[in-house]
Amino acid sequence: MNDEKIIELYFARSEDAITETDKKYGGYCRTVTYNITGSREDSEECVNDTYMKVWNVIPPQRPPKLGAFVARIARNIAINLKRAREMQIRSGNYGAVRYDEISECLPSRENVERTADDRAVLGAIERFLSTLPRDRQIMFVRRYWYFSSYEDIASDLGRTEGQVKMTLHRTRIKLREYLEKEGIDI
């Protein structure tokens, strides 16, 4: 079923909307949420919460790209769940490895919060990514948006983990330089 028909099911308040969403995007959402939570049970909980959230926001929203809309909600729910679980055990190291890898390239949270238009930062990152070869774009998005492991990225792209790590390291350096040239405080 195409996205427009699925959205119409939401507007009609038909429970088939959730069934069709799961058929089309369930596997995608489960992969994204599992990469973040590392747990099948938590992943399933996130996917169920995602469908509830989508049900509650469509209508009135009519997303132009249903797949991206659903995946973003799933990702945010998974991140929030991961943070909450780790706060409970007071580990305080949510996403430490991945965040530490890219934090040197991003503005501090205080600067972003003070920035009236943080879309400028996102726009700069998107422009930077558009300058990269396709395989580097894929590596970057897989690692820092979908939280994929080096092993998974390497396997999918036919590379070694070392090649993926080095490529991402060099990409982060270039991103930092690019953002500085764009006048974005890091």
Side-chain angles (χ1 to χ4, degrees):
M1 181 175 289
N2 71 33
D3 288 356
E4 190 56 41
K5 287 183 181 177
I6 295 172
I7 291 170
E8 288 306 319
L9 289 173
Y10 280 105
F11 273 84
R13 304 315 284 163
S14 170
E15 291 184 18
D16 291 339
I18 294 171
T19 304
E20 294 300 324
T21 302
D22 188 57
K23 283 181 191 174
K24 190 162 185 181
Y25 298 111
Y28 182 49
C29 289
R30 284 175 185 84
T31 298
V32 170
T33 56
Y34 178 79
N35 286 344
I36 295 168
T37 64
S39 161
R40 296 274 177 228
E41 294 81 17
D42 288 347
S43 173
E44 200 57 44
E45 179 181 335
C46 291
V47 171
N48 289 334
D49 290 349
T50 297
Y51 297 149
M52 177 65 78
K53 176 81 172 176
V54 171
W55 179 265
N56 289 331
V57 297
I58 303 176
Q61 290 188 37
R62 184 178 289 274
K65 295 182 180 176
L66 184 62
F69 182 78
V70 172
R72 183 175 185 183
I73 290 172
R75 180 182 183 274
N76 290 340
I77 288 171
I79 289 170
N80 290 339
L81 178 67
K82 178 87 170 168
R83 284 181 180 152
R85 294 270 161 89
E86 289 187 356
M87 283 180 65
Q88 286 175 350
I89 59 173
R90 305 227 190 284
S91 71
N93 66 354
Y94 162 72
V97 174
R98 290 178 188 106
Y99 181 75
D100 286 347
E101 287 174 10
I102 198 162
S103 65
E104 64 197 32
C105 304
L106 299 175
S108 72
R109 285 186 177 168
E110 291 176 12
N111 287 342
V112 171
E113 289 171 1
R114 281 189 236 144
T115 302
D117 189 10
D118 34 319
R119 290 184 188 256
V121 175
L122 295 174
I125 293 172
E126 287 175 358
R127 286 189 302 279
F128 168 75
L129 288 174
S130 72
T131 68
L132 298 176
R134 183 80 175 135
D135 63 332
R136 289 187 185 176
Q137 291 175 3
I138 291 168
M139 283 183 205
F140 191 91
V141 172
R142 289 274 312 270
R143 182 70 178 162
Y144 302 117
W145 178 259
Y146 295 110
F147 290 82
S148 295
S149 68
Y150 290 121
E151 180 183 6
D152 288 344
I153 296 168
S155 174
D156 291 347
L157 296 177
R159 306 277 176 85
T160 66
E161 283 185 56
Q163 287 172 322
V164 171
K165 286 179 184 179
M166 184 53 67
T167 299
L168 286 170
H169 173 73
R170 290 177 179 153
T171 303
R172 289 191 308 271
I173 291 169
K174 288 180 181 178
L175 173 61
R176 182 182 181 92
E177 292 168 356
Y178 183 86
L179 292 176
E180 286 172 350
K181 279 199 311 191
E182 291 282 313
I184 296 172
D185 294 329
I186 299 188

